[in-house]
Amino acid sequence: MMNKEIADIFRQIADILEIKDENFFRVRAYRKAAQNIENLTEDLIVLVNEKRLDVPGVGVDLAGKIEELVTTGALKFFEELKKTIPPGLLEIMTIPGIGPKTTKLLFDKLKIDSVSKLEIAAREDKLSSLPGLKEKTQENILQGIELIKQRQGRILLSTALSVAQKILDALKKLKVVEEAVVAGSVRRRKETIHDIDILVTSTKPQTVTDVFTSLPIVKKILAKGDTKSSVIVEGDIQVDLRVVGPESFGAALNYLTGSKAHNIRIRELAKKKGLKINEYGVFREKTNRIVAGKTEHEVYKTVGLCYIEPELREDTGEIEAAADNALPQLVVLTDIKSDLHIHSRWSDGTLSIADMAKAAKAQGYKYMVVSDHSQSLKVAGGLTPKRLKEQIDEIKRLNRSFKDFRILCSAEVDIKSDGSLDFDDDILKELDVVLAAVHSGFKQAKEQLTGRITRAMQNKYVNIIVHPFGRLINERPAYELDFEKILQAACDTNTALEINCYPKRLDLDDIHVKRAKEKGAMLSLGTDSHAQEQLDFMELGVAVARRGWLEKKNLLNCLSSDEFLDKIRKK
DNA sequence: GCCGTTTTCGGCCCGACTGTTTTCAGTCG
């Protein structure tokens, strides 16, 4: 049983308990535990087996439940609890605007136990008979049902970033707007986004809100108040806007950036110091006098912490690290000297190697790795050994024409289903660097897939395992791997693991990156670019690296080409 | 259900918007 599955069970328990109107703090305890479990870098199975189950928010009771889930694969308490309410109620609760109270009311009074029954009842005007529900609510429920029908997975970070930019550009044109920035999970650079949060400072909030809710891309207005409004824009993405005065910018940005768990911890710290933090500022609890709020740095300072980068704000140790002055110096885009995974027209890319090199130089890089596919990957025009040798010759020719740039010869070699490689060693040894990847047999058992990759890592020419989990966000789940074994093998064989920057991949993900750093594994960034503009995906990979607490020294891309080659040749 | 330089019991972050209300509950972030 995976951490994610256990977290999901705890969330379902929380939802059921909430519908049953149990103690809210008990509900919150389950949600909090679920959150912390999801953020763990290690498998609960390992933690339970080694009796190291020491997770914040998990006390004696929940630890027992985790142990039961890990050892038996099920939880009696959960199975019994599920019997007490119809399963459809949990789905009803996912409709925007409907929470536990309404769900319970609908079931108790009208025996509504599924979204489809709710839709019929609303259409037949049966809901307005209930206390507190009138025409408008009924209408909102129908619209909410439409929304969840359209909703498909979470939005990719790359999509959210570009939508956010469009909105910011529009708002920044207004004279009444002082600052306009993106906050929320987009600012934290989560790999997928639920909605986009925008913060604006202005002394004329009404004007800003009016303009925002009437932007051309707005399809529907969900809420519009004095300082806060929500809309659905093209692409069915929810965008929330908050407008505060300039004196509150830092406090509001901190509040709106979250995460929720991080904010709660910061506010608890404030409380212990006799302070209160809200989106308007930091206040003395007794006198209600404002003591900070203009900048985020100020806000953190009042609670005795140094500034914490947005990507770290998940309450996964960053607050303790900030208190100890032990935060990592996170890698930044300008530290990156190379792109370590690029395709050309030789296989399935769209540009010649020369043009890709020109584009990479324009990014400010000193070198790049050309890694076209190997022969088995026929759909992607994989190179035969003969073609690969021709490619190496061309790269050598090109390199002679550069002054301060270098192309490294490589290939993205298939790891075949038995763990052998798609090219023989006598070809691999001709390359500067060898990337290896799984492109088939995703449904194999965990042991087999893990074995394939570890076997590939044993090969002395393989330097980087690229997109190690093979997932495509919202399309294809990661294949099953024993990541601890992969990491151990990576460390033992001096093989690096890639953070693939392709928007749908972002693989390794942030949590695995953080674990890899803890274990001291080498990591690399590669955009997997097949076209010029895709080189910009590097920004997304850097975001994952930052969320995984990486510093400059943890990434091969921050080395010069000589240092890089020295390092990988130590294998 | 968790947790502890105020504590092993009694707290648990804080505020905006909506729709229904005559002052607030429910929902959301």
Short mmCIF file of all heavy atoms in Angstrom, two decimals, chain A residues 486-545:
data_model
loop_
_atom_site.label_atom_id
_atom_site.label_comp_id
_atom_site.label_asym_id
_atom_site.label_seq_id
_atom_site.Cartn_x
_atom_site.Cartn_y
_atom_site.Cartn_z
N ILE A 486 16.24 1.78 -6.13
CA ILE A 486 16.75 2.56 -7.25
C ILE A 486 17.80 3.56 -6.74
O ILE A 486 18.88 3.70 -7.31
CB ILE A 486 15.60 3.33 -7.95
CG1 ILE A 486 14.57 2.36 -8.53
CG2 ILE A 486 16.13 4.30 -9.00
CD1 ILE A 486 14.96 1.73 -9.83
N LEU A 487 17.45 4.23 -5.66
CA LEU A 487 18.35 5.23 -5.10
C LEU A 487 19.66 4.60 -4.63
O LEU A 487 20.74 5.14 -4.87
CB LEU A 487 17.69 5.90 -3.89
CG LEU A 487 16.94 7.20 -4.12
CD1 LEU A 487 16.46 7.74 -2.78
CD2 LEU A 487 17.84 8.21 -4.81
N GLN A 488 19.52 3.47 -3.96
CA GLN A 488 20.72 2.79 -3.46
C GLN A 488 21.63 2.43 -4.63
O GLN A 488 22.84 2.68 -4.59
CB GLN A 488 20.31 1.53 -2.68
CG GLN A 488 21.42 0.95 -1.84
CD GLN A 488 21.97 1.99 -0.85
OE1 GLN A 488 21.23 2.60 -0.08
NE2 GLN A 488 23.29 2.22 -0.90
N ALA A 489 21.02 1.88 -5.68
CA ALA A 489 21.80 1.49 -6.86
C ALA A 489 22.42 2.73 -7.52
O ALA A 489 23.57 2.69 -7.97
CB ALA A 489 20.92 0.75 -7.85
N ALA A 490 21.66 3.82 -7.55
CA ALA A 490 22.17 5.05 -8.15
C ALA A 490 23.42 5.51 -7.40
O ALA A 490 24.42 5.90 -8.00
CB ALA A 490 21.09 6.12 -8.15
N CYS A 491 23.36 5.47 -6.07
CA CYS A 491 24.50 5.89 -5.25
C CYS A 491 25.67 4.92 -5.41
O CYS A 491 26.81 5.34 -5.58
CB CYS A 491 24.10 5.99 -3.78
SG CYS A 491 22.91 7.29 -3.46
N ASP A 492 25.36 3.63 -5.39
CA ASP A 492 26.43 2.61 -5.48
C ASP A 492 27.16 2.67 -6.82
O ASP A 492 28.36 2.41 -6.88
CB ASP A 492 25.84 1.20 -5.30
CG ASP A 492 25.34 0.98 -3.88
OD1 ASP A 492 25.70 1.78 -2.99
OD2 ASP A 492 24.58 0.01 -3.66
N THR A 493 26.42 2.96 -7.90
CA THR A 493 27.02 2.89 -9.23
C THR A 493 27.40 4.26 -9.79
O THR A 493 27.82 4.36 -10.93
CB THR A 493 26.04 2.23 -10.23
OG1 THR A 493 24.87 3.06 -10.32
CG2 THR A 493 25.65 0.84 -9.80
N ASN A 494 27.20 5.31 -8.97
CA ASN A 494 27.45 6.68 -9.46
C ASN A 494 26.65 6.99 -10.73
O ASN A 494 27.18 7.52 -11.69
CB ASN A 494 28.93 6.90 -9.73
CG ASN A 494 29.68 7.18 -8.46
OD1 ASN A 494 29.21 7.95 -7.62
ND2 ASN A 494 30.82 6.53 -8.29
N THR A 495 25.39 6.62 -10.71
CA THR A 495 24.51 6.94 -11.82
C THR A 495 23.57 8.05 -11.37
O THR A 495 23.06 8.00 -10.24
CB THR A 495 23.67 5.70 -12.24
OG1 THR A 495 24.55 4.59 -12.38
CG2 THR A 495 22.93 5.96 -13.53
N ALA A 496 23.36 9.03 -12.24
CA ALA A 496 22.49 10.14 -11.87
C ALA A 496 21.03 9.81 -12.22
O ALA A 496 20.76 8.96 -13.07
CB ALA A 496 22.92 11.41 -12.59
N LEU A 497 20.12 10.50 -11.55
CA LEU A 497 18.70 10.39 -11.89
C LEU A 497 18.26 11.74 -12.44
O LEU A 497 18.66 12.80 -11.93
CB LEU A 497 17.87 10.04 -10.65
CG LEU A 497 18.21 8.68 -10.01
CD1 LEU A 497 17.42 8.50 -8.72
CD2 LEU A 497 17.92 7.54 -10.97
N GLU A 498 17.43 11.71 -13.46
CA GLU A 498 17.01 12.95 -14.10
C GLU A 498 15.74 13.51 -13.47
O GLU A 498 14.86 12.79 -13.02
CB GLU A 498 16.73 12.68 -15.59
CG GLU A 498 16.28 13.94 -16.35
CD GLU A 498 15.78 13.63 -17.76
OE1 GLU A 498 14.80 12.87 -17.91
OE2 GLU A 498 16.38 14.12 -18.71
N ILE A 499 15.68 14.84 -13.46
CA ILE A 499 14.40 15.53 -13.29
C ILE A 499 14.04 15.98 -14.70
O ILE A 499 14.64 16.91 -15.23
CB ILE A 499 14.52 16.76 -12.38
CG1 ILE A 499 15.02 16.36 -11.00
CG2 ILE A 499 13.17 17.49 -12.28
CD1 ILE A 499 15.43 17.55 -10.14
N ASN A 500 13.11 15.28 -15.30
CA ASN A 500 12.70 15.61 -16.67
C ASN A 500 11.78 16.82 -16.61
O ASN A 500 10.80 16.85 -15.86
CB ASN A 500 11.99 14.40 -17.28
CG ASN A 500 11.73 14.57 -18.76
OD1 ASN A 500 10.87 15.33 -19.14
ND2 ASN A 500 12.49 13.86 -19.57
N CYS A 501 12.10 17.85 -17.40
CA CYS A 501 11.41 19.15 -17.28
C CYS A 501 10.16 19.26 -18.15
O CYS A 501 9.48 20.30 -18.12
CB CYS A 501 12.35 20.28 -17.67
SG CYS A 501 13.94 20.22 -16.86
N TYR A 502 9.90 18.23 -18.92
CA TYR A 502 8.73 18.27 -19.81
C TYR A 502 7.47 18.45 -18.97
O TYR A 502 7.29 17.75 -17.97
CB TYR A 502 8.66 16.97 -20.62
CG TYR A 502 8.16 17.15 -22.01
CD1 TYR A 502 8.99 17.66 -23.01
CD2 TYR A 502 6.85 16.83 -22.34
CE1 TYR A 502 8.53 17.83 -24.29
CE2 TYR A 502 6.38 17.01 -23.63
CZ TYR A 502 7.22 17.51 -24.60
OH TYR A 502 6.76 17.69 -25.87
N PRO A 503 6.58 19.41 -19.34
CA PRO A 503 5.48 19.78 -18.45
C PRO A 503 4.62 18.61 -17.95
O PRO A 503 4.19 18.60 -16.81
CB PRO A 503 4.62 20.72 -19.32
CG PRO A 503 5.57 21.27 -20.32
CD PRO A 503 6.61 20.22 -20.56
N LYS A 504 4.40 17.63 -18.83
CA LYS A 504 3.58 16.48 -18.44
C LYS A 504 4.34 15.46 -17.63
O LYS A 504 3.77 14.59 -17.04
CB LYS A 504 3.09 15.76 -19.71
CG LYS A 504 1.76 16.21 -20.21
CD LYS A 504 1.35 15.28 -21.33
CE LYS A 504 0.82 16.07 -22.50
NZ LYS A 504 0.57 15.20 -23.66
N ARG A 505 5.66 15.54 -17.68
CA ARG A 505 6.46 14.55 -16.97
C ARG A 505 6.85 15.02 -15.57
O ARG A 505 6.41 14.48 -14.59
CB ARG A 505 7.70 14.18 -17.79
CG ARG A 505 7.38 13.40 -19.06
CD ARG A 505 8.68 12.79 -19.62
NE ARG A 505 8.48 12.08 -20.87
CZ ARG A 505 8.24 10.78 -20.98
NH1 ARG A 505 8.11 10.05 -19.88
NH2 ARG A 505 8.10 10.20 -22.15
N LEU A 506 7.70 16.03 -15.49
CA LEU A 506 8.24 16.48 -14.20
C LEU A 506 8.55 15.26 -13.32
O LEU A 506 7.95 15.05 -12.27
CB LEU A 506 7.26 17.45 -13.52
CG LEU A 506 6.97 18.71 -14.35
CD1 LEU A 506 6.04 19.66 -13.61
CD2 LEU A 506 8.24 19.44 -14.75
N ASP A 507 9.50 14.49 -13.81
CA ASP A 507 9.77 13.14 -13.31
C ASP A 507 11.27 12.95 -13.30
O ASP A 507 11.89 12.99 -14.37
CB ASP A 507 9.06 12.17 -14.28
CG ASP A 507 9.43 10.71 -14.07
OD1 ASP A 507 10.01 10.40 -13.03
OD2 ASP A 507 9.12 9.90 -14.97
N LEU A 508 11.86 12.83 -12.11
CA LEU A 508 11.36 12.69 -10.75
C LEU A 508 10.45 13.84 -10.32
O LEU A 508 10.62 14.96 -10.77
CB LEU A 508 12.54 12.63 -9.75
CG LEU A 508 13.53 11.51 -9.99
CD1 LEU A 508 14.70 11.66 -9.03
CD2 LEU A 508 12.91 10.13 -9.78
N ASP A 509 9.58 13.55 -9.36
CA ASP A 509 8.79 14.62 -8.78
C ASP A 509 9.49 15.19 -7.54
O ASP A 509 10.54 14.69 -7.13
CB ASP A 509 7.36 14.14 -8.46
CG ASP A 509 7.34 13.11 -7.33
OD1 ASP A 509 8.32 12.99 -6.58
OD2 ASP A 509 6.31 12.43 -7.19
N ASP A 510 8.92 16.25 -6.99
CA ASP A 510 9.57 16.97 -5.89
C ASP A 510 9.89 16.10 -4.68
O ASP A 510 10.97 16.21 -4.09
CB ASP A 510 8.71 18.18 -5.46
CG ASP A 510 7.25 17.81 -5.22
OD1 ASP A 510 6.88 16.63 -5.36
OD2 ASP A 510 6.46 18.73 -4.90
N ILE A 511 8.99 15.20 -4.33
CA ILE A 511 9.19 14.38 -3.13
C ILE A 511 10.33 13.39 -3.34
O ILE A 511 11.19 13.21 -2.46
CB ILE A 511 7.88 13.69 -2.74
CG1 ILE A 511 6.89 14.72 -2.19
CG2 ILE A 511 8.12 12.59 -1.71
CD1 ILE A 511 5.52 14.20 -1.89
N HIS A 512 10.37 12.78 -4.51
CA HIS A 512 11.47 11.85 -4.80
C HIS A 512 12.81 12.60 -4.89
O HIS A 512 13.84 12.07 -4.50
CB HIS A 512 11.19 11.09 -6.10
CG HIS A 512 10.12 10.05 -5.95
ND1 HIS A 512 8.94 10.08 -6.66
CD2 HIS A 512 10.02 8.98 -5.14
CE1 HIS A 512 8.19 9.05 -6.29
NE2 HIS A 512 8.82 8.37 -5.37
N VAL A 513 12.76 13.82 -5.40
CA VAL A 513 13.99 14.62 -5.48
C VAL A 513 14.53 14.89 -4.07
O VAL A 513 15.73 14.75 -3.80
CB VAL A 513 13.72 15.95 -6.21
CG1 VAL A 513 14.91 16.90 -6.06
CG2 VAL A 513 13.44 15.70 -7.68
N LYS A 514 13.61 15.25 -3.18
CA LYS A 514 14.04 15.55 -1.82
C LYS A 514 14.69 14.32 -1.17
O LYS A 514 15.72 14.42 -0.50
CB LYS A 514 12.83 16.01 -1.00
CG LYS A 514 13.21 16.73 0.27
CD LYS A 514 11.98 17.31 0.95
CE LYS A 514 12.36 17.94 2.28
NZ LYS A 514 11.18 18.19 3.11
N ARG A 515 14.07 13.16 -1.42
CA ARG A 515 14.63 11.92 -0.86
C ARG A 515 16.00 11.63 -1.48
O ARG A 515 16.93 11.20 -0.80
CB ARG A 515 13.65 10.77 -1.13
CG ARG A 515 14.10 9.42 -0.62
CD ARG A 515 14.19 9.41 0.90
NE ARG A 515 14.75 8.16 1.40
CZ ARG A 515 15.40 8.06 2.56
NH1 ARG A 515 15.57 9.13 3.33
NH2 ARG A 515 15.86 6.89 2.95
N ALA A 516 16.11 11.86 -2.79
CA ALA A 516 17.37 11.60 -3.48
C ALA A 516 18.48 12.48 -2.91
O ALA A 516 19.61 12.04 -2.73
CB ALA A 516 17.21 11.85 -4.98
N LYS A 517 18.13 13.73 -2.60
CA LYS A 517 19.12 14.61 -2.00
C LYS A 517 19.56 14.08 -0.63
O LYS A 517 20.75 14.06 -0.32
CB LYS A 517 18.53 16.03 -1.85
CG LYS A 517 19.51 17.01 -1.23
CD LYS A 517 18.88 18.33 -0.86
CE LYS A 517 19.89 19.23 -0.15
NZ LYS A 517 19.31 20.48 0.32
N GLU A 518 18.59 13.65 0.16
CA GLU A 518 18.91 13.09 1.48
C GLU A 518 19.89 11.92 1.36
O GLU A 518 20.78 11.76 2.19
CB GLU A 518 17.63 12.59 2.18
CG GLU A 518 16.73 13.69 2.70
CD GLU A 518 15.34 13.18 3.09
OE1 GLU A 518 15.12 11.95 3.11
OE2 GLU A 518 14.46 14.02 3.35
N LYS A 519 19.71 11.11 0.31
CA LYS A 519 20.56 9.94 0.14
C LYS A 519 21.87 10.27 -0.57
O LYS A 519 22.73 9.42 -0.71
CB LYS A 519 19.82 8.86 -0.66
CG LYS A 519 18.63 8.26 0.08
CD LYS A 519 19.04 7.29 1.18
CE LYS A 519 19.33 5.91 0.59
NZ LYS A 519 19.67 4.94 1.65
N GLY A 520 21.98 11.51 -1.06
CA GLY A 520 23.22 11.93 -1.71
C GLY A 520 23.37 11.47 -3.15
O GLY A 520 24.49 11.36 -3.66
N ALA A 521 22.26 11.18 -3.82
CA ALA A 521 22.33 10.75 -5.22
C ALA A 521 22.60 11.95 -6.12
O ALA A 521 22.26 13.08 -5.79
CB ALA A 521 21.03 10.07 -5.62
N MET A 522 23.21 11.68 -7.29
CA MET A 522 23.43 12.74 -8.28
C MET A 522 22.13 12.98 -9.03
O MET A 522 21.40 12.04 -9.34
CB MET A 522 24.50 12.33 -9.29
CG MET A 522 25.91 12.37 -8.76
SD MET A 522 27.10 12.33 -10.13
CE MET A 522 26.86 10.67 -10.77
N LEU A 523 21.87 14.24 -9.36
CA LEU A 523 20.65 14.58 -10.08
C LEU A 523 20.96 15.48 -11.27
O LEU A 523 21.95 16.22 -11.26
CB LEU A 523 19.67 15.30 -9.14
CG LEU A 523 19.12 14.40 -8.03
CD1 LEU A 523 18.70 15.20 -6.81
CD2 LEU A 523 17.96 13.56 -8.54
N SER A 524 20.12 15.39 -12.30
CA SER A 524 20.32 16.22 -13.48
C SER A 524 19.00 16.76 -13.97
O SER A 524 17.94 16.22 -13.66
CB SER A 524 20.97 15.39 -14.60
OG SER A 524 20.01 14.53 -15.18
N LEU A 525 19.07 17.84 -14.73
CA LEU A 525 17.88 18.41 -15.35
C LEU A 525 17.98 18.26 -16.86
O LEU A 525 19.03 18.54 -17.45
CB LEU A 525 17.78 19.91 -15.03
CG LEU A 525 17.40 20.30 -13.61
CD1 LEU A 525 17.64 21.79 -13.40
CD2 LEU A 525 15.94 19.97 -13.35
N GLY A 526 16.89 17.83 -17.47
CA GLY A 526 16.85 17.74 -18.92
C GLY A 526 15.47 18.13 -19.42
O GLY A 526 14.47 17.72 -18.86
N THR A 527 15.46 18.98 -20.44
CA THR A 527 14.13 19.44 -20.91
C THR A 527 13.47 18.41 -21.82
O THR A 527 12.28 18.48 -22.05
CB THR A 527 14.24 20.76 -21.71
OG1 THR A 527 15.11 20.54 -22.82
CG2 THR A 527 14.76 21.87 -20.83
N ASP A 528 14.28 17.46 -22.38
CA ASP A 528 13.69 16.49 -23.31
C ASP A 528 13.11 17.25 -24.52
O ASP A 528 12.12 16.82 -25.11
CB ASP A 528 12.58 15.71 -22.60
CG ASP A 528 12.40 14.30 -23.17
OD1 ASP A 528 12.91 14.05 -24.28
OD2 ASP A 528 11.74 13.49 -22.51
N SER A 529 13.75 18.37 -24.86
CA SER A 529 13.22 19.24 -25.91
C SER A 529 13.21 18.55 -27.26
O SER A 529 14.19 17.92 -27.66
CB SER A 529 14.07 20.51 -26.03
OG SER A 529 13.77 21.39 -24.98
N HIS A 530 12.10 18.70 -27.97
CA HIS A 530 12.00 18.25 -29.35
C HIS A 530 11.85 19.45 -30.28
O HIS A 530 11.72 19.30 -31.48
CB HIS A 530 10.82 17.30 -29.52
CG HIS A 530 11.03 15.97 -28.85
ND1 HIS A 530 11.05 15.82 -27.48
CD2 HIS A 530 11.27 14.73 -29.36
CE1 HIS A 530 11.26 14.54 -27.18
NE2 HIS A 530 11.39 13.86 -28.31
N ALA A 531 11.81 20.65 -29.71
CA ALA A 531 11.66 21.88 -30.50
C ALA A 531 12.30 23.02 -29.71
O ALA A 531 12.50 22.92 -28.49
CB ALA A 531 10.19 22.17 -30.76
N GLN A 532 12.58 24.10 -30.41
CA GLN A 532 13.33 25.19 -29.80
C GLN A 532 12.67 25.77 -28.54
O GLN A 532 13.31 25.92 -27.50
CB GLN A 532 13.52 26.30 -30.83
CG GLN A 532 14.29 27.49 -30.29
CD GLN A 532 14.60 28.50 -31.38
OE1 GLN A 532 14.57 28.17 -32.57
NE2 GLN A 532 14.88 29.71 -30.99
N GLU A 533 11.36 26.08 -28.67
CA GLU A 533 10.71 26.75 -27.54
C GLU A 533 10.63 25.87 -26.30
O GLU A 533 10.46 26.35 -25.19
CB GLU A 533 9.30 27.24 -27.95
CG GLU A 533 8.30 26.16 -28.31
CD GLU A 533 8.44 25.67 -29.77
OE1 GLU A 533 9.42 26.06 -30.43
OE2 GLU A 533 7.58 24.90 -30.21
N GLN A 534 10.81 24.55 -26.50
CA GLN A 534 10.73 23.65 -25.35
C GLN A 534 11.93 23.76 -24.42
O GLN A 534 11.89 23.28 -23.29
CB GLN A 534 10.55 22.20 -25.84
CG GLN A 534 9.22 22.02 -26.56
CD GLN A 534 9.01 20.61 -27.09
OE1 GLN A 534 9.90 19.77 -27.01
NE2 GLN A 534 7.84 20.35 -27.64
N LEU A 535 12.99 24.42 -24.90
CA LEU A 535 14.14 24.64 -24.02
C LEU A 535 13.72 25.44 -22.79
O LEU A 535 14.34 25.35 -21.73
CB LEU A 535 15.25 25.38 -24.78
CG LEU A 535 15.95 24.57 -25.89
CD1 LEU A 535 16.88 25.47 -26.67
CD2 LEU A 535 16.72 23.39 -25.30
N ASP A 536 12.65 26.21 -22.93
CA ASP A 536 12.15 27.01 -21.80
C ASP A 536 11.59 26.14 -20.66
O ASP A 536 11.34 26.64 -19.57
CB ASP A 536 11.06 27.98 -22.26
CG ASP A 536 11.63 29.09 -23.12
OD1 ASP A 536 12.83 29.39 -22.98
OD2 ASP A 536 10.88 29.65 -23.94
N PHE A 537 11.35 24.86 -20.94
CA PHE A 537 10.85 23.98 -19.88
C PHE A 537 11.82 23.86 -18.71
O PHE A 537 11.47 23.36 -17.65
CB PHE A 537 10.56 22.57 -20.43
CG PHE A 537 9.45 22.51 -21.44
CD1 PHE A 537 9.34 21.43 -22.32
CD2 PHE A 537 8.48 23.51 -21.51
CE1 PHE A 537 8.32 21.37 -23.26
CE2 PHE A 537 7.45 23.45 -22.44
CZ PHE A 537 7.37 22.37 -23.31
N MET A 538 13.06 24.30 -18.95
CA MET A 538 14.05 24.24 -17.88
C MET A 538 13.53 24.90 -16.60
O MET A 538 13.77 24.43 -15.49
CB MET A 538 15.34 24.94 -18.33
CG MET A 538 16.50 24.85 -17.35
SD MET A 538 16.99 23.18 -16.94
CE MET A 538 17.88 22.67 -18.41
N GLU A 539 12.78 25.97 -16.78
CA GLU A 539 12.22 26.70 -15.63
C GLU A 539 11.36 25.77 -14.75
O GLU A 539 11.36 25.87 -13.53
CB GLU A 539 11.35 27.85 -16.18
CG GLU A 539 10.75 28.72 -15.13
CD GLU A 539 9.65 29.64 -15.68
OE1 GLU A 539 9.41 29.64 -16.90
OE2 GLU A 539 9.02 30.33 -14.86
N LEU A 540 10.62 24.88 -15.41
CA LEU A 540 9.76 23.96 -14.66
C LEU A 540 10.59 22.94 -13.88
O LEU A 540 10.28 22.60 -12.74
CB LEU A 540 8.81 23.23 -15.62
CG LEU A 540 7.92 24.11 -16.50
CD1 LEU A 540 7.17 23.26 -17.53
CD2 LEU A 540 6.93 24.90 -15.65
N GLY A 541 11.66 22.47 -14.52
CA GLY A 541 12.53 21.51 -13.84
C GLY A 541 13.23 22.16 -12.65
O GLY A 541 13.38 21.53 -11.59
N VAL A 542 13.65 23.40 -12.84
CA VAL A 542 14.29 24.11 -11.72
C VAL A 542 13.29 24.25 -10.57
O VAL A 542 13.64 24.12 -9.40
CB VAL A 542 14.82 25.49 -12.18
CG1 VAL A 542 15.23 26.34 -10.98
CG2 VAL A 542 15.99 25.32 -13.12
N ALA A 543 12.02 24.46 -10.92
CA ALA A 543 10.98 24.57 -9.89
C ALA A 543 10.87 23.27 -9.10
O ALA A 543 10.81 23.28 -7.87
CB ALA A 543 9.64 24.92 -10.53
N VAL A 544 10.89 22.14 -9.80
CA VAL A 544 10.83 20.85 -9.11
C VAL A 544 12.07 20.68 -8.21
O VAL A 544 11.96 20.26 -7.06
CB VAL A 544 10.75 19.68 -10.11
CG1 VAL A 544 10.82 18.34 -9.39
CG2 VAL A 544 9.47 19.76 -10.94
N ALA A 545 13.22 21.06 -8.75
CA ALA A 545 14.46 20.95 -7.98
C ALA A 545 14.37 21.79 -6.71
O ALA A 545 14.74 21.34 -5.62
CB ALA A 545 15.64 21.41 -8.83
#
